[in-house]
Amino acid sequence: MANMRKERFGELDVVLSGGTDGHGGGDGPLVVLLHGFGAPGTDLVPLAQPHLLPVPRGVRFAFPAAPLSLSAVSNVGFGMGDSRAWWLIDIERFQVELLSGRAERLTEEVPQGLAAARKSLLVTLETLEQKLGVSPGKMVLGGFSQGAMLSMDVILRSGRTFAGAVLWSGTIICAHEWQPLYSRTAGLPMVQSHGVLDPLLPFEQAERLRDHLQAAQAKHGFIAFRGGHEIPPTVLSRTASFLTQILS
């Protein structure tokens, strides 16, 4: 994309797009989207294009790159390119639990590195607000897969006020720690999507997360689609409608 700029905000590198100049300028709302495990920091940047996520004029996008590079980590299966992670995953153990039908066991665990990722992201969010002049309550936080998990964790734990949340193909982590915090999402506009054929993060766990959020009286919309671990056009279309509704 030609209309974007890369800059360091807090502890993370961030690509900015949208706004009045295509480079994150102006004083419009800010949509922060976090990529998934093993993806490059720029993985979601193309979504800022109007034909993919048509949003009201002036809305800005920020795409932080996760702090951990996987290029030198041989045991996670990502040895090339700008593969990044918010925290490391034991891929071999993950696959064993998944194939053994014990995926729910993983939802109970607090990932090592989650606290550090949350801290880095919060510093970056605060810096983005200050440097870009984002009005209070005019930031949407979300992401895909591991980025969706971190977004949910920050929303539950930080006490920050968000305009909304976008959770694409995420799942529950830290189940016992999250459970008493869901009430903090009461009234928060949220959109969650998940493929019923997702081979990595079971659809049933996404349904559990949906049920928790709806019970907490979040303004929650759930998009189930016949597909895998992905963001299909139907999800982008409904996400664009969601963003337009809450940011107009």
Side-chain angles (χ1 to χ4, degrees):
M1 289 178 61
N3 290 337
M4 63 179 187
R5 64 184 170 103
K6 186 176 181 180
E7 188 175 332
R8 187 83 170 178
F9 288 88
E11 301 182 5
L12 302 174
D13 292 326
V14 179
V15 173
L16 296 174
S17 189
T20 55
D21 59 1
H23 298 79
D27 59 0
L30 183 67
V31 178
V32 181
L33 296 175
L34 313 180
H35 65 82
F37 178 87
T42 57
D43 187 52
L44 299 181
V45 171
L47 297 185
Q49 299 177 84
H51 71 281
L52 292 177
L53 274 180
V55 294
R57 178 174 173 78
V59 171
R60 296 175 285 178
F61 288 91
F63 302 92
L68 303 179
S69 173
L70 301 181
S71 59
V73 182
S74 60
N75 66 336
V76 296
F78 294 88
M80 299 180 63
D82 183 33
S83 300
R84 309 197 70 81
W86 297 100
W87 60 86
L88 295 180
I89 297 174
D90 185 336
I91 298 296
E92 183 176 349
R93 176 172 175 266
F94 177 84
Q95 291 175 335
V96 168
E97 298 287 6
L98 193 64
L99 292 174
S100 302
R102 298 192 297 264
E104 186 171 350
R105 179 183 300 181
L106 297 171
T107 70
E108 303 293 337
E109 298 179 2
V110 178
Q112 185 176 1
L114 172 62
R118 181 172 62 245
K119 176 181 175 294
S120 293
L121 180 59
L122 282 169
V123 171
T124 294
L125 295 179
E126 291 169 3
T127 308
L128 282 166
E129 278 189 337
Q130 294 168 4
K131 288 191 174 182
L132 300 183
V134 182
S135 301
K138 287 297 184 180
M139 178 185 289
V140 174
L141 180 62
F144 174 70
S145 192
Q146 194 181 59
M149 300 175 215
L150 179 56
S151 297
M152 188 76 263
D153 191 72
V154 165
I155 288 167
L156 292 177
R157 297 184 197 264
S158 69
R160 292 176 58 89
T161 299
F162 292 97
V166 175
L167 307 175
W168 292 321
S169 297
T171 195
I172 296 174
I173 55 175
C174 318
H176 285 98
E177 294 185 2
W178 279 12
Q179 182 62 51
L181 302 177
Y182 286 119
S183 59
R184 296 182 179 180
T185 65
L188 177 66
M190 309 182 76
V191 64
Q192 178 192 358
S193 67
H194 212 93
V196 297
L197 304 176
D198 193 323
L200 297 178
L201 300 176
F203 183 72
E204 292 77 13
Q205 300 306 324
E207 290 183 304
R208 281 184 60 202
L209 178 58
R210 174 202 64 193
D211 293 346
H212 286 312
L213 293 170
Q214 290 180 348
Q217 298 185 356
K219 295 180 180 178
H220 180 272
F222 187 70
I223 309 167
F225 60 91
R226 188 166 183 78
H229 200 62
E230 58 188 300
I231 312 172
T234 182
V235 168
L236 290 177
S237 176
R238 291 184 58 177
T239 301
S241 297
F242 168 78
L243 293 174
T244 297
Q245 180 180 5
I246 66 173
L247 297 178
S248 294

